[in-house]
Amino acid sequence: MKAVSSKAESLLLKPPVDAYSESELEHRSPAEPVALSVDMRSSDEDSAPGLDDFSGLSSYERKRLKNIRENANFFASLQLSESAARLREMIKKRQPPELKRKRPKKKENEIGCRRSMRLLKVDPLGVSLPAALTEPTLDEEENPLLPPGPLEMIPENQDDSGELFKASLKTWAEMSKISSERTKKGLSSVKSYKANLSGMAISEATVRKVTRGAISSVALHPSEVRTLVAAGAKSGEIGLWDLTRQCEDEVYVFYPHSQPVSCLYFSPTNPAHLLSLSYDGTLRCGDFSSAVFEEVYRNEGSSPSSFDFLAEDASTLLVGHWDGHLSLVDRRTPGTSYEKLFNSSLGKIRTVHVHPVSRQYFISAGLRDVHIYDVRCLNSRRSQPLISLAEHSKSIASAYFSPVTGNRVVTTCADCKLRVFDSSSISSEIPLLTTIRHNTITGRWLTRFQAVWDPKQEDCFIVGSMAHPRRVEIFHETGKTVYSLLGECLVSVCSLSVMHPTRYVLAGGNSSGRLHVFMRQDSF
């Protein structure tokens, strides 16, 4: 019976030749099943072609063959093969084109973006500049090193033979220094200190552009009768401004260096000496008495970053370098070389500050660490610090001992925090006392903030601010704001500030080369 049913199925599934037209045979796909083309001209199972030969089939087999024939007829009526062929043709014809960005065509009369006529090498009248002006000649070195040895103190912006400048030099050389007893007596309560700060003001007469480039260091002469401010610039300039004589333009500009002046101090024992340190590898002393910038130290192989007076009489200096080295310089020794060269544990040194009481200790701010060293333990290999202050998470701008006792340390960090440490006992650990949130992100074009102590007030320090309106802020060591110095004439950020050791005079420098001076009216 199985053989019979198989033969019947094959006959049913095999279409007769005349069941298709010639066009259907031409478009017929070889992959189409033959079962979809079964000839269903009669629905009666007895009259179906080929069934008479199998009259012996059972009713079940006949019913089964009938179902197969009806299913084949149904699928043939759907015309699935023709639809599939049409879809394949549509897919082939509708291939997505390659996506290419078409640039808009520039119209001839279209007005374009404004461009600098200077960059287009066209003068304001629309005439092309001559070829000689389009290619300016450049020096081989933008900042060539100045010759070694002393340099005459000749102002670049004044006549060197002017009687006014000579009289100013004589006056500055004769100005007396301050006494340490006066400084100690000047310490007062925070309430009294705040009251004195409230009397300080700024005016147009106390704002002056003194250098061509951005100010990178500021110093105040300790005179109690005159106000003399010195500013070092990134271009190597040093500007001196005497505010006492308001009727005349008392600003003198000198070029003792060829690169940024990173550190500037008046000598604590002889204020007629102005010491300046520059990235060009030189440390010079401007002597008002002899009108000469003498060369104290020269090291062209290692760029210095900061210095401080190691001895109380200012005879020896400790110089920090950007490569992590420390130089001991003795001003009494002939020549401009160092006495000793030490290798610190810091990769870079930004600031160096000697302890005001125990002068064998000094603090140094590096890239991410602040270390306290003992000068007696320094060596040429790798000096190990006594204490490391590792609480900082980003680069550090400065670290300074408090001015009278050295019992506090204030640091400025790029993580927008000012930190105060207890250094009253220099042991294996110095505790962190206070953390102050303060915006220290000055960006690329502004000089970095450095928080410095007020020499008159052991527990208060000064720092610039990015807040509006522009100001200079004074904080207590506990983190409280003591006072904010503001004024209509202060319209820019004062990155660096310094306070007078005995008088209420504050000088701040900014990136445009301007000095801003706050003072009490009785300070003029």
Side-chain angles (χ1 to χ4, degrees), residues 288-348:
F288 298 146
S289 302
S290 60
V292 170
F293 285 102
E294 295 189 2
E295 193 172 70
V296 177
Y297 173 59
R298 190 179 188 92
N299 188 346
E300 299 178 6
S302 178
S303 180
S305 58
S306 177
F307 82 96
D308 197 10
F309 301 101
L310 187 59
E312 205 166 351
D313 60 355
S315 59
T316 56
L317 310 173
L318 190 64
V319 182
H321 297 261
W322 282 111
D323 59 2
H325 284 90
L326 291 161
S327 299
L328 180 62
V329 179
D330 194 335
R331 299 175 62 189
R332 299 165 297 185
T333 304
T336 59
S337 181
Y338 52 78
E339 297 294 322
K340 293 182 180 180
L341 183 66
F342 309 107
N343 187 12
S344 72
S345 55
L346 296 171
K348 289 184 179 180

Side-chain angles (χ1 to χ4, degrees), residues 11-59:
L11 290 175
L12 287 173
L13 295 175
K14 183 177 180 181
V17 178
D18 57 354
Y20 303 98
S21 63
E22 293 182 2
S23 61
E24 289 176 342
L25 289 175
E26 291 178 358
H27 294 86
R28 180 177 178 80
S29 174
E32 294 178 6
V34 180
L36 297 179
S37 303
V38 177
D39 185 8
M40 305 304 294
R41 289 174 292 183
S42 176
S43 61
D44 188 275
E45 62 177 313
D46 293 333
S47 61
L51 291 182
D52 294 338
D53 298 336
F54 304 101
S55 58
L57 294 176
S58 63
S59 59

